[in-house]
Amino acid sequence: MLLIDQVKSTIRDVEGYPKPGIVFKDITPVLADPVLMKRIIQFFVRNYRDKKIDAVAAIEARGFILGSVLAHELACSFIPLRKAGKLPFNTRKQRYDLEYGTAELEIHTDAIKPGASVLVHDDLLATGGTACAAGHLIKSFGGELAGFSFLINLGFLPGARNLQEQFGLAPDFLIKY
Ligand code: AMP
């Protein structure tokens, strides 16, 4: 079976989580399948192995899973981007909009070396608020954005458009709904 079809048929839709009207894309059945995971990792590694990437900056929490494997496979640094109050050292914050209200993403102030080529990774792109906050944090320290990578792109939401408008980059992804 094609990788895309196999991953799509393994992702579990959970309706009404975390609130009514949302269909949550639950990737835990994918994580539970080591053969599928290996193929997914190969897909991402092939995308980036010929590019000069100094660090993968991954978004808490599900972005950490594939993000850290990707950093390992590309033999580059791993940078955690976390929700407010979770990182122990000096941080810089970026506020972003959620459907209702706002949230903050944080990075350690010594995480980005100026001029470093940084790939942002998360499990899923929806409105793009989280990924755009990540991009602005990285650029604020003089980092260069190598790209934005996701397992899933919810193409009916404006995430890709927002990344294009704010950074001139199209997202890389395996699965599009
Ligand atoms: P956004 O900032 O709107 O692009 O939302 C992306 C972030 O929210 C990612 O970290 C996702 O893990 C999470 N997220 C948003 N919508 C969903 C969904 N339908 N299923 C699973 N995760 C989601």
Side-chain angles (χ1 to χ4, degrees), residues 1-4 6-8 10-11 26-46 61-70 73 121-123 150-152 174-175:
M1 205 197 288
L2 270 178
L3 178 60
I4 291 174
Q6 203 182 341
V7 176
K8 267 194 171 174
T10 308
I11 289 169
D26 177 16
I27 61 167
T28 60
V30 178
L31 303 177
D33 183 334
V35 177
L36 199 50
M37 283 296 282
K38 188 161 197 162
R39 292 180 66 199
I40 291 169
I41 291 158
Q42 282 167 348
F43 165 82
F44 282 109
V45 171
R46 263 199 300 274
R62 287 179 298 281
F64 286 0
I65 301 165
L66 274 171
S68 65
V69 177
L70 199 49
E73 291 292 319
H121 178 79
D122 201 1
D123 67 326
F150 306 88
L151 182 62
I152 302 163
L174 178 63
I175 307 290

Side-chain angles (χ1 to χ4, degrees), residues 89-135:
F89 184 59
N90 299 330
T91 62
R92 184 172 291 172
K93 301 182 199 348
Q94 177 77 42
R95 195 182 292 274
Y96 61 99
D97 289 330
L98 295 173
E99 209 178 342
Y100 299 103
T102 61
E104 280 181 334
L105 202 63
E106 284 190 346
I107 189 168
H108 271 157
T109 51
D110 64 352
I112 304 287
K113 309 277 173 281
S117 173
V118 183
L119 174 68
V120 175
H121 178 79
D122 201 1
D123 67 326
L124 181 144
L125 177 66
T127 67
T130 316
C132 286

